[in-house]
């Protein structure tokens, strides 16, 4: 009986210790800590969603920055087209009432003296092309211009690529400004200004695009008319931009589909953007569109593979570091709180049930334990 009683004392001490710890708030502490853990999970989730949103926003802003530089470059080309039109207005005023070839040649020579970098021509109704040096028959050029629909012209003016219209020996990297005119007999003749655009492509406006990729002016078939100096770096020997982009696709179906989209939409879309999957899962970025004030002149700006992702990663790494730092601090706080509360609870139990001098159990312990033991003996 005495052994059983001692065993019950030990059992009671063990069980009553649990009871007393609960009584001093263990369940409440657990609830608080589980609540804190839930808040931690919610905060971490919200932080990650916020970081992802920042990443998406930064990606959009980076694309907008790229597009801004492309727009600046295209504006430079379009201002050149506008300038060609201004030069044409002056040329038209000087030559419109003159139809003698020798006098026209003299006027052309005078125009070229004051408009450096421009070549002037006069195409008669019979197809004779008058320049400052010679007169030649260019029937194909006449027919090509006559085949252009009238709605292509803006008040009789149009800017077109020289390639496909001009004789090959005169083409170069140039645009043609063409003014459609009428004689008193209602016969059509054309004033033509040729401008080599390669010098414009060497301006500082294109430095940023050369650093991160390349820029090209193409015709409707993708034939490169002019390009920034970095073009050969990315597409050596490629005279057609569509062939150049196709060489990057590595037979990827998505890249091929996107390339077809560019080929079809460049003729009808003022401007647009496409991504091209290249090697190792990296994407290149393409901006393209039509040059304002022209017909058959388009631009394509290529940003090298992985560039956008690397810039976005650099911009968001700080956000990720802040996120993980917050997670670490919150986990440390939860663990510290858990340990502190458990330690405080143990101290409260000792103060309530143990004698501070002897370290043995006090009257409170026996008052709570003995009744349960006595009940078990009945």
């Amino acid at each position: 009986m005495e052994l059983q009683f001692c065993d019950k004392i030990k059992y009671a001490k063990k069980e009553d210790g649990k009871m007393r710890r609960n009584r001093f708030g263990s369940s409440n502490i657990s609830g608080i800590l589980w609540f804190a853990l839930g808040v931690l999970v919610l905060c971490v989730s919200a932080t990650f969603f916020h970081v992802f949103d920042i990443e998406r926003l930064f990606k959009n802003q980076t694309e907008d920055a790229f597009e801004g530089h492309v727009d600046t470059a295209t504006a430079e080309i379009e201002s050149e087209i506008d300038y060609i039109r201004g030069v044409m207005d002056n040329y038209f005023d000087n030559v419109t009432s003159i139809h003698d070839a020798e006098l026209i040649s003299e006027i052309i020579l005078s125009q070229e003296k004051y408009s450096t970098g421009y070549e002037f021509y006069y195409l008669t109704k019979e197809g004779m092309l008058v320049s400052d040096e010679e007169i030649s028959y260019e029937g194909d050029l006449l027919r090509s211009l006559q085949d252009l629909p009238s709605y292509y012209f803006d008040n009789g003016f149009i800017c077109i690529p020289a390639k496909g219209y001009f004789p090959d020996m005169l083409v170069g990297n140039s645009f043609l400004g063409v003014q459609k005119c009428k004689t008193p007999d209602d016969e059509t003749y054309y004033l033509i200004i040729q401008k080599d655009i390669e010098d414009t492509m060497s301006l500082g406006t294109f430095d940023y695009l050369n650093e991160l990729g390349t820029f090209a002016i193409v015709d409707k078939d993708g034939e490169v008319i002019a390009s920034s100096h970095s073009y050969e770096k990315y597409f050596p020997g490629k005279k057609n931009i569509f062939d150049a982009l196709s060489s990057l696709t590595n037979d990827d179906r998505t890249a091929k589909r996107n390339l077809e989209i560019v080929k079809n939409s460049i003729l009808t879309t003022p401007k647009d953007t496409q991504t091209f999957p290249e090697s190792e899962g990296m994407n290149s970025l393409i901006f393209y569109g039509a040059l304002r004030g022209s017909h058959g002149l388009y631009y394509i700006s290529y940003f090298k593979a992985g560039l956008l992702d690397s810039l976005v990663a650099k911009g968001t790494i700080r956000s990720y570091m802040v996120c993980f730092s917050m997670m670490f601090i919150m986990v440390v706080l939860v663990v510290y709180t858990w340990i502190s509360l458990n330690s405080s609870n143990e101290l409260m139990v000792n103060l309530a049930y143990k004698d501070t001098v002897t370290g043995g159990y006090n009257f409170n312990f026996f008052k709570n334990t003995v009744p349960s033991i006595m009940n078990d003996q009945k």
Side-chain angles (χ1 to χ4, degrees), residues 79-356:
S79 68
E80 190 66 61
I81 294 173
D82 292 338
Y83 192 77
I84 292 173
R85 184 162 190 165
V87 173
M88 177 62 78
D89 290 340
N90 180 262
Y91 181 35
F92 175 81
D93 292 339
N94 291 333
V95 81
T96 184
S97 61
I98 300 172
H99 303 290
D100 180 77
E102 291 186 6
L103 289 176
I104 291 171
S105 291
E106 291 178 7
I107 292 173
I108 287 175
L109 192 61
S110 175
Q111 288 284 154
E112 290 177 349
K113 181 180 179 181
Y114 292 103
S115 300
T116 307
Y118 296 86
E119 300 289 337
F120 294 80
Y121 300 90
Y122 182 105
L123 183 64
T124 69
K125 60 183 180 180
E126 294 85 10
M128 302 303 295
L129 186 65
V130 182
S131 69
D132 60 336
E133 296 179 349
E134 61 179 359
I135 301 174
S136 61
Y137 177 72
E138 299 295 344
D140 290 340
L141 173 59
L142 178 63
R143 284 186 289 273
S144 297
L145 295 178
Q146 289 174 337
D147 289 341
L148 291 172
S150 59
Y151 60 83
Y152 283 3
F153 293 82
D154 181 13
N155 291 324
F157 179 83
I158 189 173
C159 186
I160 54 178
K163 189 171 185 177
Y165 293 92
F166 243 31
D168 290 343
M169 63 180 180
L170 299 176
V171 170
N173 305 106
S174 59
F175 295 169
L176 295 181
V178 179
Q179 182 71 45
K180 189 176 183 179
C181 308
K182 293 286 187 179
T183 66
D185 299 329
D186 204 34
E187 297 288 345
T188 301
Y189 67 97
Y190 298 91
L191 303 180
I192 301 172
I193 297 177
Q194 183 182 20
K195 170 62 178 174
D196 192 313
I197 207 68
E198 199 68 34
D199 290 342
T200 304
M201 303 289 284
S202 301
L203 296 175
T205 307
F206 297 86
D207 288 347
Y208 183 87
L209 302 180
N210 285 322
E211 182 181 347
L212 303 182
T214 191
F215 184 93
I217 299 171
V218 301
D219 64 14
K220 61 183 178 63
D221 299 316
E223 293 295 321
V224 177
I225 297 168
S227 62
S228 60
H229 66 73
S230 62
Y231 183 85
E232 283 295 318
K233 173 183 176 181
Y234 293 99
F235 308 121
K238 299 290 185 181
K239 302 302 181 184
N240 186 292
I241 191 67
F242 297 144
D243 292 342
L245 293 174
S246 181
S247 67
L248 301 176
T249 61
N250 295 317
D251 294 325
D252 183 88
R253 295 175 64 181
T254 301
K256 287 184 175 181
R257 184 186 71 242
N258 290 352
L259 180 56
E260 288 302 315
I261 291 174
V262 173
K263 287 181 179 180
N264 295 326
S265 63
I266 196 172
L267 303 177
T268 57
T269 306
K271 65 178 183 178
D272 206 347
T273 309
Q274 280 293 340
T275 56
F276 279 82
E278 293 187 30
S279 58
E280 301 177 358
M282 296 189 296
N283 293 328
S284 55
L285 194 60
I286 307 295
F287 292 88
Y288 62 95
L291 289 172
R292 176 184 52 79
S294 71
H295 175 74
L297 290 171
Y298 309 92
Y299 69 88
I300 291 183
S301 186
Y302 166 84
F303 289 88
K304 58 189 177 183
L307 175 65
L308 179 63
D309 292 335
S310 64
L311 291 176
V312 170
K314 289 179 182 178
T316 56
I317 189 169
R318 183 177 299 177
S319 297
Y320 279 111
M321 290 177 64
V322 171
C323 176
F324 285 117
S325 298
M326 289 176 61
M327 287 174 57
F328 177 76
I329 292 172
M330 293 182 75
V331 168
V332 169
L333 287 175
V334 169
V335 171
Y336 175 77
T337 303
W338 185 289
I339 294 173
S340 298
L341 289 176
N342 279 336
S343 176
S344 299
N345 189 63
E346 194 67 31
L347 177 62
M348 292 172 66
V349 169
N350 289 335
L351 289 173
Y353 294 109
K354 286 189 176 182
D355 188 277
T356 56

Side-chain angles (χ1 to χ4, degrees), residues 39-104:
V39 171
L40 172 63
V41 171
L42 287 175
C43 290
V44 169
S45 301
T47 304
F48 269 109
F49 278 120
H50 181 61
V51 170
F52 292 148
D53 192 54
I54 290 176
E55 184 176 3
R56 178 188 58 79
L57 180 63
F58 190 79
K59 184 177 181 180
N60 291 339
Q61 289 178 337
T62 305
E63 286 188 9
D64 289 342
F66 288 171
E67 187 175 6
H69 285 283
V70 173
D71 289 344
T72 302
T74 56
E76 191 73 53
I77 303 297
E78 289 167 351
S79 68
E80 190 66 61
I81 294 173
D82 292 338
Y83 192 77
I84 292 173
R85 184 162 190 165
V87 173
M88 177 62 78
D89 290 340
N90 180 262
Y91 181 35
F92 175 81
D93 292 339
N94 291 333
V95 81
T96 184
S97 61
I98 300 172
H99 303 290
D100 180 77
E102 291 186 6
L103 289 176
I104 291 171

Side-chain angles (χ1 to χ4, degrees), residues 8-20:
K8 287 183 179 291
I9 287 290
K10 293 178 181 179
Y11 176 77
K13 287 167 61 179
K14 181 179 179 181
E15 294 301 314
D16 196 58
K18 294 180 181 179
M19 178 188 70
R20 286 194 299 274

